[in-house]
């Protein structure tokens, strides 16, 4: 049977205009200090900060509110080492053979290569999985059936945006890393068949001597059209 909608009053705090401006500016200023970090310190991060950020990510809107995501927070050094070895094997192939010259040229200004020490150095690596479909268990027969998930790609993308923002606001550095293909993550992390690795996010503090490439963001008039 279809589940019918049940409504409740919206809790919505209408805040004064000056307060809106203040919060909007503070968030803008804070978010514009975020950089993708590739050199991490191994200094520990309290799990509470990771957990809170994942709670924020898991509050994201999703297609039919199906919440088609799983976040695996890895701090175990052996598991991180296995992920690094597998990621580097794929990335070595990518950089040396699979990526086109155009692709390598597009990346050159970021100075990346196949080596991924951050997977071991960062105290946490959050691997986000997209649930391509759900699995429901029939109450009577115990049989499993597939539940179609709607807009799972978009939903997980939004959740990852929330995650990166939450970690940044908590004073942590992140890297959005997508080794390709990422099948090895499901195997190493022992995730079920319906889950596809979506992104691998090392989290921690930057190394003391961390450097980032000099890049710029597009001007507002290149990205905003106000009609
Ligand atoms: N996944 C590779 C290559 C790479 C691809 C893109 I698109 C980037 O923005 C950065 C890197 C790597 O992680 O090195």
């Amino acid at each position: 049977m279809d589940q019918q909608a049940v409504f409740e009053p919206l809790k919505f705090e209408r805040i004064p205009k000056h307060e809106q401006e203040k919060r909007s500016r503070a968030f803008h200023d804070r978010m514009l200090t975020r950089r993708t970090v590739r050199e991490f310190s191994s200094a520990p991060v309290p799990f509470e900060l990771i957990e809170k950020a994942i709670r924020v990510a898991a509050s994201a809107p999703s297609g039919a509110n199906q919440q088609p995501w799983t976040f695996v927070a890895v701090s175990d050094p052996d598991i991180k080492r296995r992920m690094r070895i597998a990621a580097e094997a794929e990335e070595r192939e990518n950089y040396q053979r699979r990526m086109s010259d155009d692709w390598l040229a597009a990346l050159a200004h970021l100075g990346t290569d196949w080596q991924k020490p951050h997977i071991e150095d960062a105290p946490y690596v959050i691997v986000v999985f997209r649930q391509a479909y759900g699995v429901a268990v029939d109450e009577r027969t115990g049989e499993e059936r597939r539940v179609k998930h709607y807009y799972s790609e978009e939903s997980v993308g939004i959740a990852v945006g929330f995650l990166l923002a939450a970690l940044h606001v908590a004073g942590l550095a992140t890297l959005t890393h997508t080794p390709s293909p990422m099948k090895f993550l499901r195997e190493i992390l022992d995730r079920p068949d319906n889950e596809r690795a979506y992104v691998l996010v090392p989290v921690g503090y930057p190394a003391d001597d961390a450097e980032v490439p000099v890049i710029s963001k597009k001007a507002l008039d290149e990205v905003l059209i106000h009609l």
Side-chain angles (χ1 to χ4, degrees):
M1 244 251 294
D2 294 345
Q3 206 190 322
Q4 293 305 306
V6 179
F7 290 94
E8 63 182 352
L10 171 68
K11 295 186 193 80
F12 183 93
E13 183 197 5
R14 188 76 196 254
I15 53 179
K17 187 156 171 286
H18 64 87
E19 186 61 27
Q20 286 184 292
E21 285 161 359
K22 200 172 120 195
R23 289 194 202 178
S24 165
R25 196 177 324 113
F27 190 63
H28 166 268
D29 292 350
R30 188 86 198 94
M31 288 304 292
L32 266 57
T33 65
R34 188 202 57 79
R35 290 297 310 262
T36 289
V37 168
R38 292 190 166 79
E39 293 158 300
F40 284 85
S41 142
S42 57
V45 164
F47 180 66
E48 289 67 34
L49 296 180
I50 302 293
E51 189 191 291
K52 274 280 186 305
I54 291 173
R55 282 181 191 272
V56 172
S59 78
S62 62
N65 192 35
Q66 287 172 317
Q67 306 164 59
W69 43 59
T70 307
F71 302 88
V72 181
V74 183
S75 58
D76 182 310
D78 292 332
I79 302 177
K80 286 195 297 178
R81 181 167 309 119
R82 288 168 61 204
M83 292 198 295
R84 175 185 178 176
I85 290 168
E88 287 186 336
E90 294 294 356
E91 294 290 32
R92 193 196 280 261
E93 267 307 291
N94 288 337
Y95 279 89
Q96 292 177 355
R97 274 176 275 279
R98 295 197 285 237
M99 286 156 80
S100 66
D101 289 346
D102 281 352
W103 191 348
L104 291 170
L107 280 183
H109 73 293
L110 298 179
T112 57
D113 61 31
W114 64 267
Q115 295 183 78
K116 305 298 171 193
H118 42 254
I119 298 177
E120 279 193 87
D121 295 342
Y124 276 96
V125 176
I126 302 176
V127 183
V128 184
F129 286 86
R130 175 180 71 89
Q131 297 170 359
Y133 55 90
V135 180
V137 182
D138 188 292
E139 270 179 33
R140 281 183 306 115
T141 63
E143 253 174 56
E144 288 191 347
R145 75 185 163 80
R146 286 184 180 203
V147 177
K148 185 171 165 52
H149 276 169
Y150 298 94
Y151 296 99
S152 63
E153 291 278 0
E154 293 83 347
S155 303
V156 178
I158 295 166
V160 170
F162 276 33
L163 179 69
L164 299 178
L167 291 166
H168 176 66
V169 165
L172 294 167
T174 58
L175 166 63
T176 320
H177 180 38
T178 52
S180 170
M182 279 196 280
K183 220 166 79 68
F184 66 86
L185 290 169
R186 174 160 26 117
E187 286 152 18
I188 292 174
L189 302 176
D190 198 21
R191 299 308 306 159
D193 286 350
N194 64 325
E195 296 191 3
R196 314 272 183 270
Y198 186 89
V199 69
L200 181 161
V201 185
V203 185
Y205 299 100
D208 287 339
D209 56 354
E211 291 188 317
V212 289
V214 176
I215 58 169
S216 59
K217 298 293 176 182
K218 291 181 179 176
L220 191 64
D221 66 5
E222 292 179 272
V223 300
L224 168 64
I225 297 156
H226 184 173
L227 301 175

